[in-house]
Amino acid sequence: MELETCLVEVPTFLQISSSLSPHVSPHASDAGQILDVRPSKAFKVLSQIALVQVIAALAIVLAGFAISGVPTSSRAKHSGDGISWPMKVVLAGTLLVDYTCTDQYQPSMPAMAREFGVSQTLMGSTIQLHVFSSSISLLFAGPISDRIGRRPVVLFLQVVLAISTFSCGCADSFKWFAAGRALQGVAASVGSVVLAVTQDAYDDSAQRMQTTSMLVSIIVLGPLVAPTVGGLLAAAFGWRFPFFALSFLAVVAFLTSLMVVEETAGPAQETAYLASAIRTLSDARRLRILACCAVGKSVFDIMTASNGFILEDSYQLPLARTAVIQSAMASSGLVGSTLASHLPWKPLDVMSFFSPILAFSAACMALVGLLFDQYLVLYMFIICANEVLIYPPLMSMTVEFGQDLRDIAGLASSVLTSGMNLFSLGLSLPAVAIATYGPAALLYVMAAIILTMPFIMVFGILPPSGPSDLKEEEFVHGNEEQANEELGEEKEKKTCG
């Protein structure tokens, strides 16, 4: 007896259709059924209106800022003794939802492409669209938070995340889904603001590194569990349901943030965007830190783009086993970020300690590619070992980049994260082509890329006589003097005018 598809109208304006999963035999029991959760026409229209309104609001606000400048708010300087655990949890949760939004729908892409009537290549381009819109938005979110405060920007981007994610679930065509994904990229720029919060809230650089690494540990859970959880939810309720669930979590994060997120930014300085950007990028040492951070991030992006091809094509693994191994390999990032969060050292001490270890690890990677690339266990081990070892120096460089820019921490973190994303995007694009030549070719290239990190750290970041010669207090003192001098010069110019 065939199971008839039924369509049920429910008070929430959602339509739930019950049918058999395509992966289940027609003779399966009711346990093999799925509930395909779909939005009603009313919800589709409401989501499209909300999406257009958010985009229009962003355009109007940015145009207003360009014409009349970004207003400043009067704030007292944060004590520098840290942030509360509830605030850490809600900020980490916001970042986790952001990163989960992309990874959770990857298993559903073929079904989504069929429903929207587009190619899988075009469907896959929504990931690059998200990265691009996020990279551009990062250039604005941090600097604006320097002027008006971290709290309002975090709250606003949480609202954008909730609306854009809900709109993706309600999309009835590819263009509306792409618009939602682009807006999700805007919401993802909250990462630069959260990074600025850690710069504001801790005077001690070791504590800043521990908190930053803790937040990154939470973020790593997204790529680790999102494909599995998203795939299971999509199999049970349809691909739209995970988007609805994530939009609900974004609303919860926003409501919780209203109660627990405090302002951490100090008094805003009357400095122009261009002048602050030039100040950030005019220091050669800081540019080397940015380049080294971008190289480190590209390692993870290259592995994400290439491992599936290597495991399936070169090692002839079935899809299910490939997915399990990829999740296991992704867990090494969680180990590395957790290790970084427990190190009690200053950022320069971390770089000094891990530089020779990372160089040795890169050499071992090249050796495996030369002699033992046919062994899957060794391939997995050397990849995981390098991912673990990259995280501590990467986190230390992230903290060190804004060490003497705490008065413009938002802009500094925006420049850092945007530069890392754009550089890594360009570096990881050839990875799929390189993977076609087998694991040995990929390991050679990866070893060369990783080896540049200790080289830049030793000869371009660390002081010649050791990390202890570069005192954090000198950075902070020099930063305050520079900010005061700039403020005095601007006041003098206004008086003369």
Side-chain angles (χ1 to χ4, degrees):
M1 178 178 176
E2 294 184 356
L3 179 66
E4 296 181 354
T5 300
C6 60
L7 193 62
V8 183
E9 290 281 355
V10 294
T12 57
F13 299 104
L14 289 177
Q15 296 176 341
I16 304 178
S17 65
S18 176
S19 61
L20 280 178
S21 169
H23 303 290
V24 180
S25 168
H27 303 288
S29 63
D30 290 344
Q33 297 177 8
I34 64 169
L35 295 176
D36 192 5
V37 179
R38 294 176 175 271
S40 68
K41 185 176 181 180
F43 261 14
K44 289 180 182 179
V45 173
L46 286 174
S47 69
Q48 291 173 1
I49 292 174
L51 199 65
V52 171
Q53 286 181 337
V54 171
I55 294 174
L58 284 170
I60 293 172
V61 169
L62 291 177
F65 288 166
I67 295 172
S68 5
V70 182
T72 60
S73 61
S74 178
R75 305 181 296 269
K77 187 180 186 304
H78 191 268
S79 61
D81 56 356
I83 54 180
S84 65
W85 268 103
M87 184 171 168
K88 289 181 184 177
V89 170
V90 73
L91 292 178
T94 300
L95 296 175
L96 179 60
V97 172
D98 266 322
Y99 277 76
T100 302
C101 284
T102 293
D103 295 282
Q104 62 83 17
Y105 80 94
Q106 291 183 25
S108 303
M109 279 187 177
M112 297 170 67
R114 289 191 296 269
E115 182 170 334
F116 290 143
V118 299
S119 66
Q120 290 195 24
T121 301
L122 188 59
M123 193 71 228
S125 68
T126 57
I127 294 180
Q128 280 73 32
L129 176 63
H130 179 276
V131 173
F132 179 77
S133 64
S134 174
S135 299
I136 299 302
S137 303
L138 283 166
L139 298 176
F140 298 96
I144 290 175
S145 73
D146 285 335
R147 301 295 293 271
I148 68 175
R150 316 292 184 215
R151 175 181 159 88
V153 177
V154 168
L155 294 175
F156 174 74
L157 292 177
Q158 286 173 335
V159 172
V160 174
L161 177 62
I163 292 175
S164 60
T165 305
F166 184 77
S167 297
C168 285
C170 291
D172 58 0
S173 65
F174 177 77
K175 64 180 181 181
W176 283 110
F177 181 80
R181 286 291 293 153
L183 206 58
Q184 278 185 331
V186 174
S189 62
V190 73
S192 64
V193 185
V194 173
L195 185 60
V197 167
T198 62
Q199 291 284 351
D200 300 332
Y202 295 94
D203 289 334
D204 181 68
S205 61
Q207 291 180 330
R208 283 201 300 275
M209 180 178 165
Q210 290 171 355
T211 302
T212 302
S213 301
M214 185 274 292
L215 293 173
V216 172
S217 300
I218 302 298
I219 292 174
V220 172
L221 290 175
L224 187 61
V225 303
T228 302
V229 175
L232 292 174
L233 290 176
F237 305 107
W239 66 263
R240 299 175 185 271
F241 182 80
F243 285 101
F244 295 143
L246 288 170
S247 65
F248 172 76
L249 293 178
V251 171
V252 172
F254 168 73
L255 295 177
T256 308
S257 296
L258 289 174
M259 296 180 287
V260 303
V261 172
E262 303 174 354
E263 184 57 67
T264 61
Q269 303 289 338
E270 291 285 349
T271 54
Y273 181 96
L274 183 59
S276 298
I278 292 175
R279 176 185 164 196
T280 302
L281 297 174
S282 60
D283 183 75
R285 180 176 178 272
R286 198 175 296 119
L287 286 177
R288 291 190 288 268
I289 294 175
L290 173 58
C292 201
C293 286
V295 169
K297 185 180 185 302
S298 70
V299 172
F300 302 103
D301 291 345
I302 290 173
M303 287 296 97
T304 301
S306 306
N307 268 333
F309 293 92
I310 291 292
L311 295 175
E312 291 188 33
D313 297 341
S314 299
Y315 293 108
Q316 299 297 309
L317 298 182
L319 178 61
R321 192 177 174 189
T322 296
V324 173
I325 290 178
Q326 282 187 292
S327 295
M329 295 174 72
S331 65
S332 60
L334 180 62
V335 174
S337 59
T338 303
L339 172 64
S341 68
H342 286 82
L343 293 175
W345 304 334
K346 302 290 185 183
L348 293 174
D349 296 323
V350 174
M351 283 185 269
S352 179
F353 179 81
F354 278 91
S355 291
I357 298 177
L358 203 55
F360 177 75
S361 179
C364 292
M365 176 175 280
L367 182 64
V368 170
L370 178 65
L371 301 176
F372 307 105
D373 64 298
Q374 69 272 27
Y375 298 105
L376 175 61
V377 174
L378 286 178
Y379 174 82
M380 290 177 55
F381 175 80
I382 198 64
I383 291 292
C384 292
N386 276 273
E387 288 191 358
V388 170
L389 294 174
I390 284 174
Y391 258 106
L394 183 60
M395 292 298 98
S396 66
M397 286 184 289
T398 301
V399 173
E400 187 68 20
F401 182 84
Q403 184 71 28
D404 55 339
L405 299 172
R406 295 182 64 189
D407 57 315
I408 52 171
L411 183 140
S413 60
S414 289
V415 170
L416 175 64
T417 49
S418 179
M420 287 170 59
N421 285 344
L422 291 174
F423 182 88
S424 177
L425 183 63
L427 195 59
S428 60
L429 285 176
V432 175
I434 295 174
T436 61
Y437 293 95
L442 184 64
L443 289 174
Y444 294 151
V445 173
M446 290 291 298
I449 292 174
I450 293 172
L451 192 60
T452 61
M453 290 186 64
F455 181 84
I456 296 174
M457 283 188 285
V458 171
F459 297 104
I461 299 176
L462 292 171
S465 301
S468 59
D469 289 352
L470 204 56
K471 300 296 184 181
E472 178 181 345
E473 290 76 9
E474 295 176 4
F475 276 137
V476 176
H477 181 65
N479 175 47
E480 291 178 350
E481 285 187 350
Q482 183 177 358
N484 292 333
E485 289 177 3
E486 291 179 356
L487 187 59
E489 290 176 0
E490 290 183 6
K491 289 181 178 181
E492 186 178 346
K493 291 179 181 178
K494 290 180 181 179
T495 304
C496 295

